[in-house]
Each structure stands twice: as structure tokens, then as C-alpha cells.
Amino acid sequence: MAIQVIVLNGGSSSGKSGIVRCLQAVLPDPWLAVGVDTLIQMMPASGSLIELAPDGEVNVGPGFMPLQAAWMEGVAAMVRAGARVVIDEVFLGGAASQQRWQKALAGLNVLWVGVRCESAVAEGREVARGDRVRGMAVSQAELVHQGVVYDLEVDTTHTESLACAQTIAARVTAYSDFS
């Protein structure tokens, strides 16, 4: 069975979104892009579902997890209905976050990709973007990878998004050729 889902996990400003756009351009079939930012944008602006501390730490309230679980099941339902999906994620809970996705995506063929970037480089991108709370990139650079198991890892510290996407696309294509 061909790969149906690509999960990219990496810290803030690690380059995941750029890789997603490049994957959509280089993969032969159409792939939908969804991500944790999409989920956050869907949530009410007010309330205590998610809070960004002044130092960049992300805190989630008790109502966040049930909404996240429902969203994950919705993404999995799109894949089960025939869509191919690239997920742009930030596993703040490390292995526990991956396990939640594994549960939602059970029975689907998933490529797990770690997107790494040296914290100083990610921090520079964070400052240049201007739309992130400073400190997120540094605090998440290693945290999101703790205990997570990948099929493939890419590093955007010195490698452009397109090259990373081509590496991932080659794995998707190679897997499809042998299935």
C-alpha cells in the first residue's frame, strides 16, 4: 500500500511549512496540507484552550486535548476517504504526541519525518518572521523530538526546503514502487 500520510514533526521555525509547500509541488499526486497551526486558527480567540507564555512556552488548557483528538480523527477520516495528507506538527509532548497520532492514523500507511534545525538558526528565522513569540524556536528545537521514532529525518539548518522535500518525496516514491 502506498504512503497515505506524511507527518512532519519539528519545532517552531524549523522549516516544516516550507517543506510542506515544496512537497505539494514535487509529489506526483495532489496532497492536502494540514497542521497544528490550522487547528489553533480554528479555535476561539478567547478562552483558555492554548496560551503562549512570554518566553515562548506553549501551555494548553483542559479543553484543548478533546478538540485536538476530534481534529486528529477528522484528518484521519479525510485520508480514509481517499485524500493524501501532509501533517505539519509540533510534538510538544514528544513520544506521547506521536502516540496520539498513531492511534488516530491506525491502519493507514504513514511516513514519520523528523524536521530538525539547530536552535540558533531556528531562533534567527523566528525573529525574521516576526509572527512568533520569541523563545518558541529554542524551547522546542529538541523537546519535540524526545522519544519520537522516525522513518526519515531531514535537517533544515543548512539544507533548503526543496532539497528536504525531494528527499522525502524519494522515500514516498520508493515505498510506492515496492508495495
Side-chain angles (χ1 to χ4, degrees), residues 11-53:
S12 179
S13 300
S14 64
K16 298 178 309 297
S17 298
I19 292 171
V20 170
R21 287 189 299 277
C22 290
L23 278 169
Q24 288 179 305
V26 301
L27 287 167
D29 298 311
W31 287 70
L32 298 176
V34 300
V36 70
D37 289 344
T38 308
L39 170 63
I40 292 168
Q41 291 169 358
M42 294 168 59
M43 293 186 172
S46 62
S48 60
L49 293 174
I50 190 163
E51 177 186 299
L52 300 177

PDB file of all heavy atoms in Angstrom, residues 11-53:
ATOM      1  N   GLY A  11      10.223  21.591  15.665  1.00  0.00           N
ATOM      2  CA  GLY A  11       9.935  22.774  16.472  1.00  0.00           C
ATOM      3  C   GLY A  11       9.520  23.960  15.620  1.00  0.00           C
ATOM      4  O   GLY A  11       9.601  23.942  14.387  1.00  0.00           O
ATOM      5  N   SER A  12       9.086  24.984  16.295  1.00  0.00           N
ATOM      6  CA  SER A  12       8.700  26.230  15.646  1.00  0.00           C
ATOM      7  C   SER A  12       9.872  26.773  14.832  1.00  0.00           C
ATOM      8  O   SER A  12      11.024  26.705  15.267  1.00  0.00           O
ATOM      9  CB  SER A  12       8.293  27.244  16.719  1.00  0.00           C
ATOM     10  OG  SER A  12       7.934  28.468  16.143  1.00  0.00           O
ATOM     11  N   SER A  13       9.581  27.251  13.644  1.00  0.00           N
ATOM     12  CA  SER A  13      10.570  27.855  12.738  1.00  0.00           C
ATOM     13  C   SER A  13      11.645  26.884  12.260  1.00  0.00           C
ATOM     14  O   SER A  13      12.717  27.294  11.831  1.00  0.00           O
ATOM     15  CB  SER A  13      11.215  29.092  13.381  1.00  0.00           C
ATOM     16  OG  SER A  13      10.225  30.057  13.664  1.00  0.00           O
ATOM     17  N   SER A  14      11.343  25.584  12.311  1.00  0.00           N
ATOM     18  CA  SER A  14      12.309  24.588  11.840  1.00  0.00           C
ATOM     19  C   SER A  14      12.262  24.406  10.332  1.00  0.00           C
ATOM     20  O   SER A  14      13.150  23.777   9.763  1.00  0.00           O
ATOM     21  CB  SER A  14      12.090  23.243  12.538  1.00  0.00           C
ATOM     22  OG  SER A  14      10.820  22.710  12.213  1.00  0.00           O
ATOM     23  N   GLY A  15      11.230  24.918   9.679  1.00  0.00           N
ATOM     24  CA  GLY A  15      11.137  24.819   8.229  1.00  0.00           C
ATOM     25  C   GLY A  15      10.084  23.863   7.714  1.00  0.00           C
ATOM     26  O   GLY A  15      10.043  23.573   6.517  1.00  0.00           O
ATOM     27  N   LYS A  16       9.227  23.375   8.589  1.00  0.00           N
ATOM     28  CA  LYS A  16       8.205  22.406   8.179  1.00  0.00           C
ATOM     29  C   LYS A  16       7.264  22.964   7.120  1.00  0.00           C
ATOM     30  O   LYS A  16       6.974  22.293   6.129  1.00  0.00           O
ATOM     31  CB  LYS A  16       7.383  21.940   9.387  1.00  0.00           C
ATOM     32  CG  LYS A  16       8.168  21.227  10.454  1.00  0.00           C
ATOM     33  CD  LYS A  16       7.301  20.832  11.637  1.00  0.00           C
ATOM     34  CE  LYS A  16       6.463  21.937  12.219  1.00  0.00           C
ATOM     35  NZ  LYS A  16       7.199  23.069  12.806  1.00  0.00           N
ATOM     36  N   SER A  17       6.772  24.169   7.314  1.00  0.00           N
ATOM     37  CA  SER A  17       5.797  24.741   6.374  1.00  0.00           C
ATOM     38  C   SER A  17       6.381  24.890   4.979  1.00  0.00           C
ATOM     39  O   SER A  17       5.701  24.622   3.981  1.00  0.00           O
ATOM     40  CB  SER A  17       5.285  26.088   6.885  1.00  0.00           C
ATOM     41  OG  SER A  17       4.628  25.918   8.122  1.00  0.00           O
ATOM     42  N   GLY A  18       7.636  25.286   4.886  1.00  0.00           N
ATOM     43  CA  GLY A  18       8.296  25.383   3.590  1.00  0.00           C
ATOM     44  C   GLY A  18       8.432  24.023   2.932  1.00  0.00           C
ATOM     45  O   GLY A  18       8.233  23.875   1.716  1.00  0.00           O
ATOM     46  N   ILE A  19       8.759  23.015   3.725  1.00  0.00           N
ATOM     47  CA  ILE A  19       8.864  21.653   3.196  1.00  0.00           C
ATOM     48  C   ILE A  19       7.505  21.181   2.695  1.00  0.00           C
ATOM     49  O   ILE A  19       7.412  20.570   1.622  1.00  0.00           O
ATOM     50  CB  ILE A  19       9.439  20.689   4.257  1.00  0.00           C
ATOM     51  CG1 ILE A  19      10.905  21.028   4.550  1.00  0.00           C
ATOM     52  CG2 ILE A  19       9.305  19.236   3.797  1.00  0.00           C
ATOM     53  CD1 ILE A  19      11.500  20.270   5.723  1.00  0.00           C
ATOM     54  N   VAL A  20       6.444  21.478   3.440  1.00  0.00           N
ATOM     55  CA  VAL A  20       5.103  21.074   3.021  1.00  0.00           C
ATOM     56  C   VAL A  20       4.770  21.667   1.653  1.00  0.00           C
ATOM     57  O   VAL A  20       4.309  20.954   0.745  1.00  0.00           O
ATOM     58  CB  VAL A  20       4.035  21.479   4.068  1.00  0.00           C
ATOM     59  CG1 VAL A  20       2.626  21.286   3.508  1.00  0.00           C
ATOM     60  CG2 VAL A  20       4.208  20.692   5.358  1.00  0.00           C
ATOM     61  N   ARG A  21       5.002  22.965   1.483  1.00  0.00           N
ATOM     62  CA  ARG A  21       4.716  23.605   0.186  1.00  0.00           C
ATOM     63  C   ARG A  21       5.533  22.967  -0.942  1.00  0.00           C
ATOM     64  O   ARG A  21       5.025  22.736  -2.041  1.00  0.00           O
ATOM     65  CB  ARG A  21       4.982  25.107   0.261  1.00  0.00           C
ATOM     66  CG  ARG A  21       3.923  25.861   1.057  1.00  0.00           C
ATOM     67  CD  ARG A  21       4.081  27.371   0.948  1.00  0.00           C
ATOM     68  NE  ARG A  21       5.350  27.866   1.466  1.00  0.00           N
ATOM     69  CZ  ARG A  21       5.603  28.121   2.746  1.00  0.00           C
ATOM     70  NH1 ARG A  21       4.660  27.940   3.664  1.00  0.00           N
ATOM     71  NH2 ARG A  21       6.781  28.569   3.128  1.00  0.00           N
ATOM     72  N   CYS A  22       6.783  22.668  -0.663  1.00  0.00           N
ATOM     73  CA  CYS A  22       7.628  22.030  -1.672  1.00  0.00           C
ATOM     74  C   CYS A  22       7.165  20.603  -1.964  1.00  0.00           C
ATOM     75  O   CYS A  22       7.180  20.171  -3.126  1.00  0.00           O
ATOM     76  CB  CYS A  22       9.089  22.049  -1.238  1.00  0.00           C
ATOM     77  SG  CYS A  22       9.821  23.706  -1.254  1.00  0.00           S
ATOM     78  N   LEU A  23       6.754  19.869  -0.936  1.00  0.00           N
ATOM     79  CA  LEU A  23       6.223  18.514  -1.154  1.00  0.00           C
ATOM     80  C   LEU A  23       5.014  18.558  -2.073  1.00  0.00           C
ATOM     81  O   LEU A  23       4.886  17.727  -2.985  1.00  0.00           O
ATOM     82  CB  LEU A  23       5.838  17.851   0.177  1.00  0.00           C
ATOM     83  CG  LEU A  23       6.961  17.218   0.968  1.00  0.00           C
ATOM     84  CD1 LEU A  23       6.488  16.842   2.358  1.00  0.00           C
ATOM     85  CD2 LEU A  23       7.511  15.998   0.228  1.00  0.00           C
ATOM     86  N   GLN A  24       4.131  19.531  -1.841  1.00  0.00           N
ATOM     87  CA  GLN A  24       2.950  19.640  -2.690  1.00  0.00           C
ATOM     88  C   GLN A  24       3.347  19.906  -4.143  1.00  0.00           C
ATOM     89  O   GLN A  24       2.644  19.488  -5.056  1.00  0.00           O
ATOM     90  CB  GLN A  24       2.021  20.736  -2.174  1.00  0.00           C
ATOM     91  CG  GLN A  24       1.315  20.330  -0.887  1.00  0.00           C
ATOM     92  CD  GLN A  24       0.409  21.430  -0.372  1.00  0.00           C
ATOM     93  OE1 GLN A  24       0.836  22.562  -0.168  1.00  0.00           O
ATOM     94  NE2 GLN A  24      -0.853  21.087  -0.164  1.00  0.00           N
ATOM     95  N   ALA A  25       4.470  20.566  -4.346  1.00  0.00           N
ATOM     96  CA  ALA A  25       4.933  20.865  -5.707  1.00  0.00           C
ATOM     97  C   ALA A  25       5.644  19.681  -6.356  1.00  0.00           C
ATOM     98  O   ALA A  25       5.535  19.494  -7.571  1.00  0.00           O
ATOM     99  CB  ALA A  25       5.865  22.081  -5.682  1.00  0.00           C
ATOM    100  N   VAL A  26       6.356  18.856  -5.581  1.00  0.00           N
ATOM    101  CA  VAL A  26       7.173  17.801  -6.182  1.00  0.00           C
ATOM    102  C   VAL A  26       6.519  16.423  -6.187  1.00  0.00           C
ATOM    103  O   VAL A  26       6.896  15.580  -7.004  1.00  0.00           O
ATOM    104  CB  VAL A  26       8.586  17.710  -5.531  1.00  0.00           C
ATOM    105  CG1 VAL A  26       9.328  19.022  -5.678  1.00  0.00           C
ATOM    106  CG2 VAL A  26       8.515  17.252  -4.085  1.00  0.00           C
ATOM    107  N   LEU A  27       5.548  16.181  -5.316  1.00  0.00           N
ATOM    108  CA  LEU A  27       4.892  14.878  -5.315  1.00  0.00           C
ATOM    109  C   LEU A  27       3.978  14.778  -6.536  1.00  0.00           C
ATOM    110  O   LEU A  27       3.337  15.765  -6.918  1.00  0.00           O
ATOM    111  CB  LEU A  27       4.105  14.663  -4.027  1.00  0.00           C
ATOM    112  CG  LEU A  27       4.955  14.392  -2.788  1.00  0.00           C
ATOM    113  CD1 LEU A  27       4.134  14.500  -1.519  1.00  0.00           C
ATOM    114  CD2 LEU A  27       5.630  13.024  -2.888  1.00  0.00           C
ATOM    115  N   PRO A  28       3.915  13.598  -7.151  1.00  0.00           N
ATOM    116  CA  PRO A  28       3.155  13.481  -8.393  1.00  0.00           C
ATOM    117  C   PRO A  28       1.640  13.626  -8.238  1.00  0.00           C
ATOM    118  O   PRO A  28       0.968  14.052  -9.170  1.00  0.00           O
ATOM    119  CB  PRO A  28       3.517  12.082  -8.902  1.00  0.00           C
ATOM    120  CG  PRO A  28       3.994  11.340  -7.703  1.00  0.00           C
ATOM    121  CD  PRO A  28       4.586  12.354  -6.781  1.00  0.00           C
ATOM    122  N   ASP A  29       1.104  13.296  -7.097  1.00  0.00           N
ATOM    123  CA  ASP A  29      -0.340  13.392  -6.867  1.00  0.00           C
ATOM    124  C   ASP A  29      -0.642  14.554  -5.938  1.00  0.00           C
ATOM    125  O   ASP A  29       0.231  15.001  -5.190  1.00  0.00           O
ATOM    126  CB  ASP A  29      -0.858  12.089  -6.237  1.00  0.00           C
ATOM    127  CG  ASP A  29      -0.638  10.895  -7.151  1.00  0.00           C
ATOM    128  OD1 ASP A  29      -0.991  10.990  -8.341  1.00  0.00           O
ATOM    129  OD2 ASP A  29      -0.103   9.879  -6.667  1.00  0.00           O
ATOM    130  N   PRO A  30      -1.880  15.031  -5.926  1.00  0.00           N
ATOM    131  CA  PRO A  30      -2.237  16.112  -5.002  1.00  0.00           C
ATOM    132  C   PRO A  30      -2.228  15.630  -3.542  1.00  0.00           C
ATOM    133  O   PRO A  30      -2.737  14.549  -3.240  1.00  0.00           O
ATOM    134  CB  PRO A  30      -3.647  16.514  -5.413  1.00  0.00           C
ATOM    135  CG  PRO A  30      -3.980  15.759  -6.645  1.00  0.00           C
ATOM    136  CD  PRO A  30      -2.976  14.669  -6.814  1.00  0.00           C
ATOM    137  N   TRP A  31      -1.649  16.431  -2.677  1.00  0.00           N
ATOM    138  CA  TRP A  31      -1.613  16.167  -1.239  1.00  0.00           C
ATOM    139  C   TRP A  31      -2.180  17.386  -0.530  1.00  0.00           C
ATOM    140  O   TRP A  31      -1.803  18.525  -0.836  1.00  0.00           O
ATOM    141  CB  TRP A  31      -0.183  15.929  -0.762  1.00  0.00           C
ATOM    142  CG  TRP A  31       0.388  14.599  -1.181  1.00  0.00           C
ATOM    143  CD1 TRP A  31       0.742  14.215  -2.438  1.00  0.00           C
ATOM    144  CD2 TRP A  31       0.660  13.487  -0.335  1.00  0.00           C
ATOM    145  NE1 TRP A  31       1.216  12.931  -2.431  1.00  0.00           N
ATOM    146  CE2 TRP A  31       1.185  12.454  -1.150  1.00  0.00           C
ATOM    147  CE3 TRP A  31       0.524  13.260   1.035  1.00  0.00           C
ATOM    148  CZ2 TRP A  31       1.563  11.218  -0.641  1.00  0.00           C
ATOM    149  CZ3 TRP A  31       0.914  12.033   1.548  1.00  0.00           C
ATOM    150  CH2 TRP A  31       1.419  11.026   0.722  1.00  0.00           C
ATOM    151  N   LEU A  32      -3.073  17.156   0.429  1.00  0.00           N
ATOM    152  CA  LEU A  32      -3.592  18.235   1.258  1.00  0.00           C
ATOM    153  C   LEU A  32      -2.598  18.521   2.375  1.00  0.00           C
ATOM    154  O   LEU A  32      -1.927  17.610   2.867  1.00  0.00           O
ATOM    155  CB  LEU A  32      -4.937  17.845   1.876  1.00  0.00           C
ATOM    156  CG  LEU A  32      -6.078  17.555   0.913  1.00  0.00           C
ATOM    157  CD1 LEU A  32      -7.310  17.098   1.698  1.00  0.00           C
ATOM    158  CD2 LEU A  32      -6.395  18.773   0.074  1.00  0.00           C
ATOM    159  N   ALA A  33      -2.521  19.767   2.787  1.00  0.00           N
ATOM    160  CA  ALA A  33      -1.641  20.169   3.887  1.00  0.00           C
ATOM    161  C   ALA A  33      -2.494  20.609   5.067  1.00  0.00           C
ATOM    162  O   ALA A  33      -3.383  21.451   4.920  1.00  0.00           O
ATOM    163  CB  ALA A  33      -0.737  21.310   3.442  1.00  0.00           C
ATOM    164  N   VAL A  34      -2.242  20.007   6.210  1.00  0.00           N
ATOM    165  CA  VAL A  34      -2.891  20.424   7.455  1.00  0.00           C
ATOM    166  C   VAL A  34      -1.818  20.509   8.528  1.00  0.00           C
ATOM    167  O   VAL A  34      -0.765  19.885   8.414  1.00  0.00           O
ATOM    168  CB  VAL A  34      -4.019  19.467   7.910  1.00  0.00           C
ATOM    169  CG1 VAL A  34      -5.118  19.376   6.880  1.00  0.00           C
ATOM    170  CG2 VAL A  34      -3.481  18.089   8.223  1.00  0.00           C
ATOM    171  N   GLY A  35      -2.086  21.278   9.546  1.00  0.00           N
ATOM    172  CA  GLY A  35      -1.100  21.381  10.599  1.00  0.00           C
ATOM    173  C   GLY A  35      -1.688  21.893  11.883  1.00  0.00           C
ATOM    174  O   GLY A  35      -2.838  22.335  11.940  1.00  0.00           O
ATOM    175  N   VAL A  36      -0.863  21.828  12.898  1.00  0.00           N
ATOM    176  CA  VAL A  36      -1.297  22.279  14.211  1.00  0.00           C
ATOM    177  C   VAL A  36      -1.680  23.757  14.173  1.00  0.00           C
ATOM    178  O   VAL A  36      -2.589  24.179  14.883  1.00  0.00           O
ATOM    179  CB  VAL A  36      -0.239  21.959  15.288  1.00  0.00           C
ATOM    180  CG1 VAL A  36       1.003  22.815  15.116  1.00  0.00           C
ATOM    181  CG2 VAL A  36      -0.818  22.108  16.681  1.00  0.00           C
ATOM    182  N   ASP A  37      -1.036  24.543  13.319  1.00  0.00           N
ATOM    183  CA  ASP A  37      -1.421  25.954  13.184  1.00  0.00           C
ATOM    184  C   ASP A  37      -2.854  26.070  12.669  1.00  0.00           C
ATOM    185  O   ASP A  37      -3.591  26.968  13.064  1.00  0.00           O
ATOM    186  CB  ASP A  37      -0.462  26.705  12.267  1.00  0.00           C
ATOM    187  CG  ASP A  37       0.915  26.924  12.895  1.00  0.00           C
ATOM    188  OD1 ASP A  37       1.041  26.763  14.129  1.00  0.00           O
ATOM    189  OD2 ASP A  37       1.851  27.241  12.154  1.00  0.00           O
ATOM    190  N   THR A  38      -3.252  25.152  11.776  1.00  0.00           N
ATOM    191  CA  THR A  38      -4.627  25.123  11.278  1.00  0.00           C
ATOM    192  C   THR A  38      -5.591  24.889  12.436  1.00  0.00           C
ATOM    193  O   THR A  38      -6.615  25.574  12.558  1.00  0.00           O
ATOM    194  CB  THR A  38      -4.801  24.000  10.230  1.00  0.00           C
ATOM    195  OG1 THR A  38      -3.805  24.120   9.235  1.00  0.00           O
ATOM    196  CG2 THR A  38      -6.184  24.040   9.613  1.00  0.00           C
ATOM    197  N   LEU A  39      -5.265  23.924  13.272  1.00  0.00           N
ATOM    198  CA  LEU A  39      -6.108  23.626  14.436  1.00  0.00           C
ATOM    199  C   LEU A  39      -6.216  24.844  15.335  1.00  0.00           C
ATOM    200  O   LEU A  39      -7.324  25.221  15.758  1.00  0.00           O
ATOM    201  CB  LEU A  39      -5.531  22.443  15.221  1.00  0.00           C
ATOM    202  CG  LEU A  39      -6.149  22.165  16.587  1.00  0.00           C
ATOM    203  CD1 LEU A  39      -7.626  21.785  16.457  1.00  0.00           C
ATOM    204  CD2 LEU A  39      -5.371  21.081  17.317  1.00  0.00           C
ATOM    205  N   ILE A  40      -5.109  25.488  15.620  1.00  0.00           N
ATOM    206  CA  ILE A  40      -5.110  26.646  16.517  1.00  0.00           C
ATOM    207  C   ILE A  40      -5.934  27.785  15.917  1.00  0.00           C
ATOM    208  O   ILE A  40      -6.692  28.453  16.625  1.00  0.00           O
ATOM    209  CB  ILE A  40      -3.663  27.073  16.845  1.00  0.00           C
ATOM    210  CG1 ILE A  40      -3.004  25.981  17.698  1.00  0.00           C
ATOM    211  CG2 ILE A  40      -3.630  28.417  17.557  1.00  0.00           C
ATOM    212  CD1 ILE A  40      -1.515  26.112  17.850  1.00  0.00           C
ATOM    213  N   GLN A  41      -5.836  27.983  14.608  1.00  0.00           N
ATOM    214  CA  GLN A  41      -6.619  29.034  13.950  1.00  0.00           C
ATOM    215  C   GLN A  41      -8.116  28.742  13.997  1.00  0.00           C
ATOM    216  O   GLN A  41      -8.926  29.660  13.967  1.00  0.00           O
ATOM    217  CB  GLN A  41      -6.168  29.203  12.496  1.00  0.00           C
ATOM    218  CG  GLN A  41      -4.791  29.790  12.364  1.00  0.00           C
ATOM    219  CD  GLN A  41      -4.253  29.703  10.948  1.00  0.00           C
ATOM    220  OE1 GLN A  41      -4.891  29.174  10.050  1.00  0.00           O
ATOM    221  NE2 GLN A  41      -3.044  30.218  10.754  1.00  0.00           N
ATOM    222  N   MET A  42      -8.477  27.479  14.091  1.00  0.00           N
ATOM    223  CA  MET A  42      -9.885  27.089  14.145  1.00  0.00           C
ATOM    224  C   MET A  42     -10.503  27.343  15.526  1.00  0.00           C
ATOM    225  O   MET A  42     -11.720  27.401  15.647  1.00  0.00           O
ATOM    226  CB  MET A  42     -10.039  25.606  13.784  1.00  0.00           C
ATOM    227  CG  MET A  42      -9.682  25.281  12.349  1.00  0.00           C
ATOM    228  SD  MET A  42      -9.527  23.500  12.016  1.00  0.00           S
ATOM    229  CE  MET A  42     -11.137  22.893  12.470  1.00  0.00           C
ATOM    230  N   MET A  43      -9.667  27.460  16.527  1.00  0.00           N
ATOM    231  CA  MET A  43     -10.147  27.602  17.901  1.00  0.00           C
ATOM    232  C   MET A  43     -10.578  29.038  18.184  1.00  0.00           C
ATOM    233  O   MET A  43     -10.096  29.974  17.555  1.00  0.00           O
ATOM    234  CB  MET A  43      -9.051  27.172  18.877  1.00  0.00           C
ATOM    235  CG  MET A  43      -8.750  25.715  18.801  1.00  0.00           C
ATOM    236  SD  MET A  43      -7.586  25.228  20.073  1.00  0.00           S
ATOM    237  CE  MET A  43      -7.631  23.470  19.874  1.00  0.00           C
ATOM    238  N   PRO A  44     -11.483  29.199  19.169  1.00  0.00           N
ATOM    239  CA  PRO A  44     -11.889  30.556  19.548  1.00  0.00           C
ATOM    240  C   PRO A  44     -10.689  31.367  20.030  1.00  0.00           C
ATOM    241  O   PRO A  44      -9.788  30.829  20.679  1.00  0.00           O
ATOM    242  CB  PRO A  44     -12.879  30.346  20.699  1.00  0.00           C
ATOM    243  CG  PRO A  44     -13.109  28.888  20.811  1.00  0.00           C
ATOM    244  CD  PRO A  44     -12.118  28.177  19.972  1.00  0.00           C
ATOM    245  N   ALA A  45     -10.690  32.648  19.699  1.00  0.00           N
ATOM    246  CA  ALA A  45      -9.590  33.525  20.086  1.00  0.00           C
ATOM    247  C   ALA A  45      -9.533  33.732  21.592  1.00  0.00           C
ATOM    248  O   ALA A  45      -8.466  33.896  22.171  1.00  0.00           O
ATOM    249  CB  ALA A  45      -9.694  34.866  19.374  1.00  0.00           C
ATOM    250  N   SER A  46     -10.677  33.756  22.211  1.00  0.00           N
ATOM    251  CA  SER A  46     -10.704  33.958  23.663  1.00  0.00           C
ATOM    252  C   SER A  46     -10.836  32.618  24.365  1.00  0.00           C
ATOM    253  O   SER A  46     -11.211  31.622  23.774  1.00  0.00           O
ATOM    254  CB  SER A  46     -11.872  34.865  24.041  1.00  0.00           C
ATOM    255  OG  SER A  46     -13.088  34.252  23.673  1.00  0.00           O
ATOM    256  N   GLY A  47     -10.504  32.598  25.609  1.00  0.00           N
ATOM    257  CA  GLY A  47     -10.613  31.366  26.379  1.00  0.00           C
ATOM    258  C   GLY A  47      -9.259  30.855  26.794  1.00  0.00           C
ATOM    259  O   GLY A  47      -8.224  31.464  26.531  1.00  0.00           O
ATOM    260  N   SER A  48      -9.261  29.711  27.411  1.00  0.00           N
ATOM    261  CA  SER A  48      -8.023  29.172  27.961  1.00  0.00           C
ATOM    262  C   SER A  48      -7.635  27.858  27.286  1.00  0.00           C
ATOM    263  O   SER A  48      -7.079  26.979  27.923  1.00  0.00           O
ATOM    264  CB  SER A  48      -8.183  28.960  29.465  1.00  0.00           C
ATOM    265  OG  SER A  48      -9.252  28.052  29.699  1.00  0.00           O
ATOM    266  N   LEU A  49      -7.918  27.731  26.003  1.00  0.00           N
ATOM    267  CA  LEU A  49      -7.564  26.499  25.303  1.00  0.00           C
ATOM    268  C   LEU A  49      -6.062  26.384  25.080  1.00  0.00           C
ATOM    269  O   LEU A  49      -5.484  25.318  25.237  1.00  0.00           O
ATOM    270  CB  LEU A  49      -8.298  26.412  23.970  1.00  0.00           C
ATOM    271  CG  LEU A  49      -9.810  26.250  24.064  1.00  0.00           C
ATOM    272  CD1 LEU A  49     -10.440  26.313  22.683  1.00  0.00           C
ATOM    273  CD2 LEU A  49     -10.161  24.938  24.756  1.00  0.00           C
ATOM    274  N   ILE A  50      -5.434  27.487  24.699  1.00  0.00           N
ATOM    275  CA  ILE A  50      -3.995  27.485  24.461  1.00  0.00           C
ATOM    276  C   ILE A  50      -3.446  28.863  24.812  1.00  0.00           C
ATOM    277  O   ILE A  50      -4.077  29.878  24.538  1.00  0.00           O
ATOM    278  CB  ILE A  50      -3.672  27.110  22.997  1.00  0.00           C
ATOM    279  CG1 ILE A  50      -2.173  26.863  22.827  1.00  0.00           C
ATOM    280  CG2 ILE A  50      -4.198  28.118  22.022  1.00  0.00           C
ATOM    281  CD1 ILE A  50      -1.839  26.106  21.563  1.00  0.00           C
ATOM    282  N   GLU A  51      -2.294  28.860  25.447  1.00  0.00           N
ATOM    283  CA  GLU A  51      -1.682  30.122  25.874  1.00  0.00           C
ATOM    284  C   GLU A  51      -0.196  30.095  25.559  1.00  0.00           C
ATOM    285  O   GLU A  51       0.486  29.106  25.808  1.00  0.00           O
ATOM    286  CB  GLU A  51      -1.890  30.294  27.377  1.00  0.00           C
ATOM    287  CG  GLU A  51      -1.241  31.525  27.953  1.00  0.00           C
ATOM    288  CD  GLU A  51      -1.377  31.555  29.474  1.00  0.00           C
ATOM    289  OE1 GLU A  51      -2.514  31.573  29.958  1.00  0.00           O
ATOM    290  OE2 GLU A  51      -0.333  31.534  30.140  1.00  0.00           O
ATOM    291  N   LEU A  52       0.280  31.190  24.987  1.00  0.00           N
ATOM    292  CA  LEU A  52       1.700  31.336  24.722  1.00  0.00           C
ATOM    293  C   LEU A  52       2.296  32.228  25.799  1.00  0.00           C
ATOM    294  O   LEU A  52       1.922  33.386  25.926  1.00  0.00           O
ATOM    295  CB  LEU A  52       1.932  31.951  23.344  1.00  0.00           C
ATOM    296  CG  LEU A  52       1.385  31.165  22.159  1.00  0.00           C
ATOM    297  CD1 LEU A  52       1.627  31.915  20.862  1.00  0.00           C
ATOM    298  CD2 LEU A  52       1.986  29.780  22.100  1.00  0.00           C
ATOM    299  N   ALA A  53       3.211  31.668  26.571  1.00  0.00           N
ATOM    300  CA  ALA A  53       3.866  32.430  27.628  1.00  0.00           C
ATOM    301  C   ALA A  53       4.853  33.419  26.997  1.00  0.00           C
ATOM    302  O   ALA A  53       5.295  33.227  25.866  1.00  0.00           O
ATOM    303  CB  ALA A  53       4.589  31.476  28.580  1.00  0.00           C
TER     304      ALA A  53
END
